[in-house]
Amino acid sequence: MYEIAPEDPEIINAIEKLSQSSNKAKFITLFNQPADKNGAFLFIQAGAGGTEAQDWAQMLSRMYSRWAERHGFSCETIEEHEGDTAGIKNITFRISGDLAYGWLKNEIGVHRLVRISPFNANGKRQTSFASVDVWPDIDDSIEIEINEKDLRIDTYRSSGAGGQHVNKTDSAVRITHIPTNTVVTCQNERSQIQNKEMAMKMLRSKLYELELQKRAEEENALLAQQKKIEWGSQIRNYILYPYQLVKDVRTGIEKTDANAVLDGDLDDFMLALLQKN
C-alpha cells in the first residue's frame, strides 16, 4: 500500500476532482426529463421593497453566475435593468452547458433573505424577497408553433451597459405572446434584428416550458404547484443575521455557511430536489 502525502496540493486537487466526477456520474440518472440536457434561461426579479430587494436580486444574480462558473457553464446576460439606487430590478441570463436546465429547473420560486440592512442607518434587521424563473433553452429540433398574429412586438431604447448604440437607437425588443400573456425582452445584442432573434428564441423556449407545466398540472398537481411563483411562499430562506443558515423549505436541507452558498455552492439543494421528485 502506498502512502499519499496529504500536503501535496496536486494530489489533493486530483482527488477532489475525481470525487466530484464520481458524484456527478452517480446522479446522472436523475436528469431524465426531455429538456434536462438543454441549456437554460434564468430570470431574477426583485420583489417589493425598493433598494433592499434590488440589492438581494443582484446578490442572487452573482450566486447563480458563480454556480454556473463552477460547472463550467457559460453565463450570458440577455437583459438587465439596474436598480434605482443599487442592485438590479431584474436580469435574464442564458446559461449554456450540458444539463444546465436539469440542474436549475427546481430553482423556480421565491427566495427570502434576512440580514442587517447595509442601507439602514439604524442597523435594523431586514427581510427581502426576489423571485427566480427558469425555462429550457430549446433548439430547433423541438417544434413550437407560433402564429405571427398572436404577437405584439415593441421596440425601445436600451437602458443598460452595452456600447455606443445604447440609448441612441430603438434596438431593444419586447415581444408579447397575446394568448398566454407571455412577455420576453432582449436589449444586449448589437442590433434590433439580433435582439428580435434572441427574443423569439426565448419566447419559443418559454412557451415550451409553459406546455411542460400544463402537462405536469394534468399528471401531478403537487409538481405543478411547485412551479408556481407566489409571493409569501418562498422555496428557500437565506439567513445572515442573527446567525447564518440557508434552508430549503421543500427538502429541509440546511447549510450553515451562507457565504459559500451565496458564492455558488448550490448543488446539494438541487440534488435533494431531483432525488425527491
Side-chain angles (χ1 to χ4, degrees):
M1 182 178 291
Y2 295 94
E3 292 186 1
I4 299 175
E7 66 274 8
D8 190 327
E10 291 186 6
I11 294 177
I12 293 173
N13 187 48
I15 292 174
E16 288 179 348
K17 286 185 177 180
L18 183 62
S19 176
Q20 292 172 1
S21 298
S22 176
N23 286 333
K24 287 182 180 180
K26 179 181 177 181
F27 294 112
I28 198 71
T29 57
L30 299 175
F31 302 97
N32 53 20
Q33 297 303 309
D36 282 356
K37 69 180 188 305
N38 292 56
F41 290 102
L42 185 143
F43 175 74
I44 301 170
Q45 173 75 51
T51 301
E52 293 287 350
Q54 290 165 16
D55 187 58
W56 173 223
Q58 187 168 55
M59 291 170 65
L60 285 175
S61 72
R62 179 186 181 277
M63 181 182 77
Y64 284 113
S65 62
R66 292 301 299 271
W67 173 85
E69 181 182 325
R70 285 169 175 241
H71 280 260
F73 297 155
S74 66
C75 187
E76 174 190 1
T77 300
I78 300 300
E79 183 171 52
E80 177 180 3
H81 289 96
E82 297 179 354
D84 297 324
T85 304
I88 56 174
K89 295 178 179 178
N90 57 61
I91 191 169
T92 303
F93 287 130
R94 185 187 189 187
I95 300 177
S96 302
D98 190 36
L99 298 174
Y101 175 71
W103 280 102
L104 287 165
K105 63 184 180 182
N106 290 315
E107 292 298 290
I108 297 173
V110 175
H111 297 245
R112 172 177 173 260
L113 173 70
V114 179
R115 63 173 175 174
I116 294 293
S117 169
F119 304 102
N120 189 314
N122 296 323
K124 292 184 178 180
R125 187 168 66 174
Q126 180 78 31
T127 299
S128 304
F129 296 91
S131 67
V132 173
D133 195 8
V134 181
W135 59 97
D137 185 357
I138 63 172
D139 54 36
D140 294 335
S141 64
I142 299 177
E143 294 185 8
I144 301 295
E145 185 177 345
I146 300 177
N147 193 326
E148 289 286 340
K149 293 185 294 184
D150 292 335
L151 302 179
R152 183 174 71 246
I153 301 177
D154 302 304
T155 59
Y156 58 99
R157 293 191 176 185
S158 299
S159 58
Q164 293 184 354
H165 68 286
V166 174
N167 291 328
K168 293 185 179 180
T169 61
D170 293 340
S171 60
V173 174
R174 179 188 300 109
I175 301 178
T176 304
H177 185 251
I178 298 171
T180 61
N181 197 33
T182 300
V183 181
V184 293
T185 58
C186 184
Q187 69 172 16
N188 278 27
E189 301 296 335
R190 292 183 176 276
S191 69
Q192 185 183 115
I193 293 175
Q194 290 173 313
N195 279 324
K196 182 179 178 182
E197 289 176 351
M198 179 58 71
M200 284 298 297
K201 182 174 182 60
M202 293 170 63
L203 178 61
R204 289 177 64 251
S205 295
K206 198 156 191 177
L207 292 178
Y208 177 74
E209 170 67 8
L210 288 174
E211 181 60 27
L212 291 181
Q213 291 186 28
K214 180 181 177 182
R215 294 179 186 180
E217 199 169 53
E218 295 170 352
E219 297 173 4
N220 188 329
L222 291 177
L223 179 60
Q225 185 175 356
Q226 171 199 315
K227 289 182 174 293
K228 293 179 182 177
I229 297 177
E230 298 175 353
W231 297 104
S233 59
Q234 63 269 13
I235 64 168
R236 192 175 300 141
N237 293 310
Y238 305 72
I239 301 173
L240 304 184
Y241 182 86
Y243 50 86
Q244 283 204 5
L245 179 70
V246 180
K247 182 174 182 178
D248 195 287
V249 176
R250 301 160 297 177
T251 62
I253 295 292
E254 298 180 354
K255 282 185 173 290
T256 55
D257 191 348
N259 289 327
V261 173
L262 292 172
D263 202 36
D265 185 12
L266 295 169
D267 284 5
D268 288 345
F269 297 114
M270 295 176 175
L271 287 170
L273 258 297
L274 288 167
Q275 290 174 298
K276 182 178 180 179
N277 295 331

